[in-house]
Amino acid sequence: MKTNFCLTLKKCSLALLLCVGALSCTPERNEQGILTEHPRLLFTRAEEPAVKRLIKEDPLAGELADTLRSQADSIAQLPQIPYKFDKYGNMLWTSRAYVARLGTLALAYRLYGDEKYLRAANEALLWVCNFPDWDPKHYLDTAEMTTAVAIAYDWLFDALPEATKELVKNCIYKNAVSKVLREYAYGGPGSWAKRETNWNVVCNIGMTLGALAVAEDYPQETDSILKNAAKYMPNCLKHFAPDGVCYEGPGYWGYTNSYLALYLKAVTDNGGDKGNIAKLPGVSKTALFYKRTLTPAGRIFNFANSGEGKENSPAFFLFSKLYNQPEIAEWYREELKQTLCKRIPQNQNFYLALPWFNTATATASDSLPRMEVYHNDINDLVVFNGDRKKKGSVFLIAKGGEPSQAHQQLDCGTFLLEADSVCWTEELGADDYALPGFWDYAPNGKRWEYFRNNNFSHNTLHIDRHLQHASGEAFVCEEHPDASQPSATLNMTSLYQDKAESVFRTFTLIDDCTMEVTDKVELLNANSTAYFNIVTKAQVETNGNKAVLTRNGKQFYMEITAPAGAVFKTFPAPKLSEKEYPLEGVQIIEAACRFGKTKGEITVRMSSMPK
């Protein structure tokens, strides 16, 4: 009995020790659920061992770690960036540079413990925290600098000199926390904290990170910022419903979601997503939307003020984990390989690709739907896929829109068309934000005088060489995804309110290699002329109602079958003003269409196969 008693006692003692050990490993939290110890933002101490193992075990993670360490080595040698404003009157690029600098240095120190990374980060923190301010008049600058400083302060908290920590803590309060509290209290609906654009998300999240970094010193202020950020971010994110589309275009999709990922990770680790931001309609779909609207060759549909560069933010890893989307994780790992191999410019939060790395693998996927509609209250998008296993299969993505909304162009009805890995139609992207009147969205605003912003530079319709009406809209009014020849129709009537009674544009997938675009127009004046417009970088040969496009040794064919007598003409894109970005190798294909009556149709067939 004694032996059994002793054995039982030993077992109880061991169980007690295990329980105590488990409790001692459980991170402590305050009454708000915020971790009491640092680091608490984006990459907690408990996550470090798994990442260090991953670097040794996964070849891509190891390569990524080598790249980030090499970048940290280079950053440690860089001079500090001075406090000065660029031609736009702000210092946003300086703030973004320090997000990348401080995040990369802090990560390198956490993973490798080399003092040179700590010294470099400390010097950078002292530098930016001695700036006169972080440019509050252009609050994106403040938000991004707060992000940079908050992450470095949090990640290096145990190693930084006390004097640095005191300076940083006071600086975050002075430059960020105190200002956003006033904005919540007194800012109107157009405030950067409350508006319906990317500013709302980026600024609120920058403030959230800043507050969480110093939560032990300013608990009441942190609580207020967390509640208000959750209250106001839906003003912007409501536009992601129902299918994840960011109406401001793919460039601002990347900006908004790279910050949204920071928020979701930070609040998940610190008290939970009490505002249910992750559950807002469309948010769970947004990474899938981005990936599935790329062309087969991987190009984005760069509508609105967007360039051609793809987003390479680690947000994809975070979303893939949060929403159990291995398809996104697998795709983003391939994107990472290209980023590292081709040295593609990186998102300022790129250093998080390693802490957030996701090894999940997708199961074999079925063939893509022949047509999908991504609905949105501002920019509906329609995607057509020919069978990608067939040579010459077509891909087309088209859009609706409201030109008066943020970052929009007069591009309603435009489309990007790809076959054989060649884009046969073009979107020319954004122009210089500093152009005079660039932000004047009124129907007669100067914004529309710039070529890239008006409908003459897009694959759409104009009547009597008039602009689309900036207060109009285009939206999907009819869709047939399951038909033998899938089709979708845009109601574009209000865009031509001074010239037409009605305008409807229909896209139809005729077969795997052929698309057809039909414009049904009822003019106000039978003598008006409707112009079908195509923008391309291909070489073009026209012959009456036919055009042959040649690019990269491949050919594509267009034919206008209605109205009778309509022919294609081609000319170089017009020479722009000296202040606009130059255009090279851009051709305009145009068909002038007269109906002889008020009602008429324009039908253009586009195919990778000659008729």
Side-chain angles (χ1 to χ4, degrees):
M1 294 292 295
K2 182 178 179 181
T3 303
N4 291 340
F5 175 77
C6 292
L7 182 60
T8 302
L9 183 61
K10 287 180 180 179
K11 287 181 178 179
C12 292
S13 300
L14 179 59
L16 181 61
L17 287 171
L18 289 173
C19 289
V20 171
L23 289 171
S24 65
C25 292
T26 302
E28 292 185 5
R29 300 175 181 275
N30 68 12
E31 59 185 16
Q32 297 168 277
I34 296 170
L35 293 168
T36 56
E37 292 187 351
H38 298 268
R40 62 172 68 110
L41 295 177
L42 311 176
F43 178 37
T44 65
R45 190 183 307 281
E47 293 169 318
E48 283 184 18
V51 171
K52 291 177 179 178
R53 285 195 304 271
L54 188 67
I55 292 170
K56 297 177 181 179
E57 297 170 358
D58 186 282
L60 179 57
E63 183 181 354
L64 179 58
D66 290 343
T67 298
L68 289 168
R69 188 170 190 177
S70 177
Q71 289 176 349
D73 290 339
S74 298
I75 290 170
Q77 304 294 322
L78 291 175
Q80 304 300 335
I81 304 172
Y83 175 87
K84 65 179 182 180
F85 300 125
D86 59 21
K87 70 175 183 177
Y88 305 109
N90 60 55
M91 50 177 274
L92 182 58
W93 294 105
T94 298
S95 296
R96 288 179 178 173
Y98 277 104
V99 173
R101 284 189 183 200
L102 284 166
T104 303
L105 288 169
L107 177 66
Y109 181 73
R110 288 182 65 179
L111 294 179
Y112 303 110
D114 193 321
E115 291 293 321
K116 69 180 178 182
Y117 304 133
L118 177 63
R119 287 195 301 271
N122 186 63
E123 290 170 5
L125 284 171
L126 293 173
W127 179 262
V128 299
C129 288
N130 277 295
F131 279 1
D133 55 43
W134 292 339
D135 192 20
K137 71 181 187 302
H138 190 257
Y139 211 78
L140 287 177
D141 308 13
T142 296
E144 296 225 39
M145 191 66 84
T146 303
T147 298
V149 170
I151 292 170
Y153 173 82
D154 176 62
W155 285 13
L156 303 175
F157 188 86
D158 292 339
L160 288 171
E162 289 299 323
T164 300
K165 289 194 287 188
E166 190 68 18
L167 173 66
V168 170
K169 177 182 66 177
N170 293 335
C171 199
I172 288 176
Y173 181 82
K174 174 176 73 79
N175 288 335
V177 172
S178 64
K179 287 182 169 55
V180 74
L181 291 175
R182 287 197 297 272
E183 199 69 25
Y184 289 144
Y186 304 113
S191 158
W192 47 259
K194 303 174 185 179
R195 65 180 66 168
E196 298 184 13
T197 70
N198 63 88
W199 279 61
N200 174 321
V201 173
V202 175
C203 293
N204 275 302
I205 292 171
M207 299 303 97
T208 296
L209 295 174
L212 285 172
V214 296
E216 57 268 66
D217 298 290
Y218 304 104
Q220 292 182 341
E221 292 86 345
T222 297
D223 185 56
S224 178
I225 289 172
L226 288 171
K227 288 178 179 177
N228 279 287
K231 175 182 177 180
Y232 291 117
M233 282 199 296
N235 290 358
C236 169
L237 295 174
K238 67 184 180 185
H239 295 298
F240 280 57
D243 296 323
V245 178
C246 174
Y247 78 90
E248 294 180 273
Y252 287 97
W253 181 97
Y255 193 32
T256 302
N257 282 288
S258 67
Y259 267 82
L260 180 58
L262 302 184
Y263 177 85
L264 295 176
K265 182 66 166 73
V267 297
T268 298
D269 289 340
N270 290 277
D273 180 15
K274 296 174 183 176
N276 289 320
I277 299 300
K279 295 181 180 179
L280 290 174
V283 172
S284 65
K285 298 179 181 180
T286 197
L288 288 169
F289 150 74
Y290 186 92
K291 185 253 183 184
R292 292 180 183 178
T293 54
L294 297 172
T295 75
R299 178 171 169 175
I300 63 170
F301 181 29
N302 56 312
F303 66 88
N305 287 334
S306 296
E308 290 186 17
K310 279 191 293 185
E311 181 57 48
N312 61 8
S313 166
F316 290 113
F317 272 155
L318 193 285
F319 287 133
S320 71
K321 290 181 178 180
L322 186 62
Y323 298 112
N324 190 26
Q325 295 170 347
E327 172 187 339
I328 296 300
E330 193 168 67
W331 168 78
Y332 184 57
R333 290 198 301 274
E334 292 303 311
E335 292 295 302
L336 274 181
K337 291 176 184 177
Q338 294 299 312
T339 298
L340 298 178
C341 177
K342 297 180 181 180
R343 299 183 180 180
I344 296 170
Q346 299 166 359
N347 179 280
Q348 64 262 36
N349 297 324
F350 188 74
Y351 58 90
L352 286 167
L354 192 55
W356 291 357
F357 199 92
N358 190 357
T359 60
T361 301
T363 57
S365 59
D366 297 328
S367 58
L368 292 165
R370 301 185 74 205
M371 188 189 101
E372 291 183 289
V373 179
Y374 290 88
H375 288 287
N376 179 260
D377 62 354
I378 293 172
N379 266 330
D380 284 339
L381 297 177
V382 185
V383 179
F384 293 88
N385 282 288
D387 185 347
R388 295 189 184 183
K389 296 177 183 178
K390 292 185 178 180
K391 179 177 173 55
S393 67
V394 294
F395 170 93
L396 183 144
I397 180 167
K399 71 178 291 294
E402 291 183 27
S404 62
Q405 296 291 335
H407 294 289
Q408 302 305 293
Q409 299 173 335
L410 299 179
D411 62 355
C412 300
T414 196
F415 57 93
L416 201 65
L417 190 155
E418 181 179 290
D420 289 323
S421 299
V422 176
C423 270
W424 298 105
T425 67
E426 289 293 326
E427 287 298 311
L428 302 179
D431 217 313
D432 190 341
Y433 283 15
L435 288 168
F438 190 80
W439 303 107
D440 182 0
Y441 288 92
N444 61 348
K446 190 169 180 61
R447 178 179 180 83
W448 315 123
E449 296 177 15
Y450 300 118
F451 184 65
R452 281 180 174 83
N453 289 342
N454 62 46
N455 46 303
F456 306 132
S457 70
H458 291 94
N459 307 295
T460 191
L461 192 72
H462 58 91
I463 301 174
D464 293 337
R465 305 200 182 282
H466 278 228
L467 297 172
Q468 290 181 341
H469 203 281
S471 64
E473 64 177 339
F475 55 91
V476 173
C477 62
E478 190 174 345
E479 55 190 276
H480 302 284
D482 299 322
S484 59
Q485 293 183 330
S487 67
T489 299
L490 294 173
N491 184 338
M492 301 170 60
T493 300
S494 59
L495 297 159
Y496 304 96
Q497 56 192 260
D498 299 326
K499 287 291 178 179
E501 185 70 29
S502 64
V503 177
F504 293 88
R505 167 162 282 198
T506 299
F507 297 91
T508 305
L509 180 62
I510 301 299
D511 57 46
D512 290 317
C513 299
T514 307
M515 287 294 309
E516 189 170 85
V517 181
T518 301
D519 292 326
K520 291 185 178 181
V521 182
E522 183 175 357
L523 300 166
L524 291 175
N525 186 334
N527 293 320
S528 288
T529 302
Y531 294 86
F532 186 95
N533 212 53
I534 292 289
V535 182
T536 184
K537 290 184 178 178
Q539 294 180 331
V540 184
E541 291 185 10
T542 60
N543 182 10
N545 69 332
K546 296 182 179 180
V548 180
L549 285 65
T550 303
R551 190 177 184 189
N552 297 344
K554 299 172 183 177
Q555 291 189 319
F556 194 78
Y557 307 89
M558 295 186 180
E559 180 180 5
I560 181 166
T561 60
V567 299
F568 285 125
K569 294 183 179 180
T570 184
F571 53 89
K575 186 177 181 180
L576 309 180
S577 67
E578 291 183 0
K579 293 182 179 180
E580 292 174 75
Y581 292 151
L583 288 172
E584 294 182 4
V586 177
Q587 300 287 317
I588 307 296
I589 306 172
E590 181 184 89
C593 302
R594 295 178 64 88
F595 307 132
K597 53 185 178 180
T598 56
K599 290 185 178 181
E601 285 190 13
I602 304 170
T603 302
V604 177
R605 185 162 287 202
M606 299 172 286
S607 181
S608 60
M609 300 297 174
K611 186 174 179 180

